[in-house]
Amino acid sequence: MAAVDTAVHPAPASVQPKLETRYAALDAFRGVIMILLCSRGFGFRGGQFGHVEWEGAVLWDLIQPAFMFMVGMAMPFALAIRTSRGATPSDNFRHVAVRAFKLLVLSQILMSVSSGRLHFQLINVLAQMAFTYFLCYLILQLPFRAQTITAGLILGFHWALFALFPGADGAFSRTDNIGAAIDKAVLGYNYGGHYATINFLSSTVTTLFGAWVALLLMREKSQAKVMKTLAVSAAGAFAIGLALAPFNPLVKRLWTASFTFYSTGYVLAMLLAFYWLIEVRGYRKLAWPLMVVGMNSIFIYSVSIVLYGWLDRAVGVFTRKFEFLGAAAPNAQAVAVLLVMWYLCYWLYRRKIFVKL
């Protein structure tokens, strides 16, 4: 509870965390997430580089949860810095509300441009992030115990919606679950891939988990205690996710409660590895190429959505799409396009230009 209070109402200067300290591990971890998100699977198809059809999870299913988690991690740091510089609670609320609105608008622009037509949707990563970011901020204003209760109620409500209003093939069927019914009634259509807008409810908890980890880093000075907490939390999240799975199927496309915990376990384990390598062992130079991307995540994501096809064609003019490599050609071409996007981030990094909303 003390950690949460610090993020909202800063402590006296004598005990105030070093808010200006930037964790290289977080930027590097965010960089890996963005590289995976923008890589188009590095030219691979299926396996770990494609979403599972319904139940279960592979690497590709864990990218968006990691992204949502990192959104949550950034919030306490940013809000505490704003507060220390004189921002009032109403200033912070307006900042969060406006930023959420900008994310929603940017989502519509990117998806419309990429599809070549005006296309209103609420399932794109940025649109979902707009909802989770705003809701997570509201939850963070509560005492910590109330936050945990709220998180449980959100997951319980999400679960109950599906359980109380099952489709013809069951509560968590692909085509006629309550999420699909709501989208059909509100939007007039259903998303491809059987995704549902109400995913933002349960993914808000993923974002909240990220905020809690940030609060841990802001208060805990012992690296050993941080690592122990991350490890225990990862194991606990795995266990809860697997325990819920028989009753609440592990489905990323619906962001079920079991998936929320299971994916968080993976994210915490990956974050622990980055924290150990970079913050504890000090391998910051090796992390630098990832930080270049992590510090301009909105930029590289926008480029990948709108310009990936053009970049693929432009790079292909010079690489001939590596046809001489045979079966490995798609992989080499995908890496070449990714390197161009990395260089664009590097160009901005050298000039200290960081695209933010």
Side-chain angles (χ1 to χ4, degrees):
M1 187 179 300
V4 176
D5 290 342
T6 298
V8 182
H9 305 291
S14 61
V15 296
Q16 180 72 11
K18 294 182 179 180
L19 300 177
E20 301 292 345
T21 299
R22 192 171 189 106
Y23 283 91
L26 305 188
D27 286 325
F29 186 37
R30 187 185 298 107
V32 167
I33 295 166
M34 298 314 301
I35 287 172
L36 288 171
L37 194 63
C38 301
S39 68
R40 303 295 173 94
F42 299 101
F44 292 101
R45 294 182 179 274
Q48 293 294 319
F49 295 93
H51 295 298
V52 297
E53 291 188 8
W54 196 242
E55 292 189 42
V58 295
L59 173 64
W60 221 242
D61 298 299
L62 303 172
I63 298 174
Q64 187 177 353
F67 190 47
M68 295 294 196
F69 188 95
M70 293 304 295
V71 169
M73 286 202 69
M75 289 183 67
F77 289 108
L79 292 172
I81 290 173
R82 282 179 53 83
T83 301
S84 70
R85 293 174 178 173
T88 65
S90 59
D91 291 333
N92 284 335
F93 176 81
R94 283 193 296 271
H95 170 76
V96 169
V98 170
R99 188 164 189 258
F101 178 73
K102 288 179 178 179
L103 287 168
L104 190 59
V105 171
L106 180 59
S107 171
Q108 307 312 315
I109 293 172
L110 293 179
M111 297 309 293
S112 294
V113 171
S114 66
S115 64
R117 61 183 178 85
L118 289 175
H119 177 55
F120 180 76
Q121 50 71 47
L122 296 172
I123 201 62
N124 172 259
V125 173
L126 294 185
Q128 292 277 299
M129 191 170 84
F131 291 121
T132 65
Y133 175 73
F134 183 72
L135 291 175
C136 185
Y137 170 78
L138 296 180
I139 296 170
L140 285 173
Q141 308 315 300
L142 303 172
F144 185 68
R145 177 177 293 181
Q147 290 182 36
T148 60
I149 293 172
T150 301
L153 290 175
I154 289 173
L155 293 178
F157 176 71
H158 184 268
W159 187 346
L161 274 177
F162 286 87
L164 296 176
F165 302 98
D169 297 323
F172 298 96
S173 62
R174 298 191 192 192
T175 57
D176 61 349
N177 57 68
I178 186 61
I182 291 174
D183 285 336
K184 189 68 174 179
V186 175
L187 301 175
Y189 68 91
N190 289 120
Y191 301 107
H194 309 296
Y195 292 94
T197 300
I198 59 172
N199 285 0
F200 76 83
L201 290 173
S202 42
S203 60
T204 293
V205 178
T206 302
T207 304
L208 183 63
F209 286 158
W212 288 350
V213 171
L215 292 168
L216 168 69
L217 294 177
M218 290 171 65
R219 293 291 297 185
E220 183 55 68
K221 295 181 180 180
S222 169
Q223 292 179 333
K225 288 185 178 179
V226 169
M227 293 178 61
K228 180 179 179 180
T229 302
L230 291 177
V232 171
S233 298
F238 274 129
I240 294 172
L242 293 173
L244 290 176
F247 317 99
N248 182 257
L250 206 155
V251 181
K252 187 264 183 186
R253 296 170 192 261
L254 299 180
W255 214 289
T256 55
S258 59
F259 177 78
T260 300
F261 281 104
Y262 185 78
S263 60
T264 296
Y266 267 105
V267 175
L268 287 169
M270 290 187 287
L271 179 62
L272 173 60
F274 274 81
Y275 183 83
W276 178 75
L277 284 170
I278 299 171
E279 303 298 336
V280 178
R281 300 291 294 175
Y283 295 126
R284 290 181 175 243
K285 290 184 178 180
L286 294 178
W288 174 78
L290 302 175
M291 294 172 61
V292 168
V293 176
M295 295 175 71
N296 247 319
S297 56
I298 292 293
F299 171 78
I300 193 172
Y301 178 76
S302 299
V303 168
S304 71
I305 292 294
V306 176
L307 296 179
Y308 189 93
W310 181 86
L311 286 173
D312 184 45
R313 291 191 297 274
V315 172
V317 170
F318 302 97
T319 63
R320 295 186 179 275
K321 297 202 171 184
F322 297 96
E323 294 177 354
F324 59 91
L325 293 179
N331 312 112
Q333 178 66 9
V335 171
V337 174
L338 188 62
L339 286 174
V340 171
M341 291 193 287
W342 181 90
Y343 180 79
L344 294 175
C345 290
Y346 172 71
W347 188 91
L348 294 176
Y349 177 86
R350 287 291 302 270
R351 289 156 180 79
K352 297 183 179 180
I353 300 172
F354 305 104
V355 179
K356 298 180 180 180
L357 293 179

